[in-house]
Amino acid sequence: MSVAVSQHKNFVGGEWVESTGGETMEVLNPATGETIAEVQRSTAEDAGRAVEAAKKALPEWLESTPAERSELLHKLADVIEENADELAAIESKNVGKPLSYAKEEMPVCVDNIRFFAGAARILEGRAAGEYMRGYTSMIRREPLGVVVGIAPWNYPLMMAVW
């Protein structure tokens, strides 16, 4: 019996594109070994292409106002909240963690994004604080420009949010 597996391309510069190498790879649920998706096997050239697309988009983002940045982040938080059950199911299968754990992460993701949506409108303020019980957050107000993040396998959504 064959099971349909979702197939995904890379999202670069506002478009879904295949890897420059043309290869794909299976994504396995580490808890079950089940294939849950087929994705592009990205290359260093693909990473470079994504960085260049981000650099091209950066000037417009830098020109956006704090209100515009805040509004976009609030919209992102709303979308995550509205799709929390689906995202938790994907996260659970993708990393092999219990669904209950993945569901607990969704409100934390939403809260973090909403916090930074508010912080986007406040150019001055405390640089450190206890914004989440048991954790100290540090805010550094320096533009970094384009950065590349490699998320660990066990918290990919949370790492993207952080």
Side-chain angles (χ1 to χ4, degrees), residues 5-162:
V5 173
S6 60
Q7 297 179 332
H8 304 278
K9 294 181 179 180
N10 294 334
F11 192 69
V12 178
E15 297 179 20
W16 293 103
V17 297
E18 293 183 2
S19 168
T20 56
E23 294 183 36
T24 61
M25 58 186 268
E26 293 180 338
V27 177
L28 304 178
N29 177 334
T32 65
E34 166 194 18
T35 299
I36 60 170
E38 181 180 73
V39 298
Q40 301 297 303
R41 183 180 295 274
S42 297
T43 64
E45 188 177 336
D46 292 314
R49 182 170 58 170
V51 167
E52 289 307 311
K55 284 180 181 177
K56 186 177 176 184
L58 183 61
E60 184 178 342
W61 180 252
L62 290 174
E63 292 296 320
S64 64
T65 67
E68 291 167 333
R69 293 176 189 189
S70 179
E71 183 180 338
L72 288 170
L73 289 171
H74 276 295
K75 286 180 180 179
L76 175 59
D78 291 345
V79 169
I80 291 174
E81 190 170 53
E82 290 163 9
N83 296 280
D85 288 341
E86 181 182 0
L87 290 168
I90 292 168
E91 189 82 347
S92 172
K93 287 180 183 177
N94 186 42
V95 302
K97 68 175 66 171
L99 180 59
S100 61
Y101 287 29
K103 283 185 174 188
E104 289 174 0
E105 292 172 15
M106 297 305 122
V108 176
C109 289
V110 169
D111 184 61
N112 272 259
I113 293 169
R114 287 196 174 130
F115 169 80
F116 285 106
R121 297 191 72 135
I122 303 171
L123 300 178
E124 299 293 328
R126 288 176 44 181
E130 303 296 326
Y131 303 110
M132 187 172 146
R133 204 179 291 271
Y135 295 90
T136 299
S137 298
M138 304 292 290
I139 300 171
R140 185 174 177 160
R141 290 177 174 88
E142 282 183 26
L144 296 175
V146 174
V147 297
V148 174
I150 299 173
W153 68 271
N154 58 339
Y155 285 96
L157 182 58
M158 290 283 285
M159 290 303 293
V161 167
W162 289 333

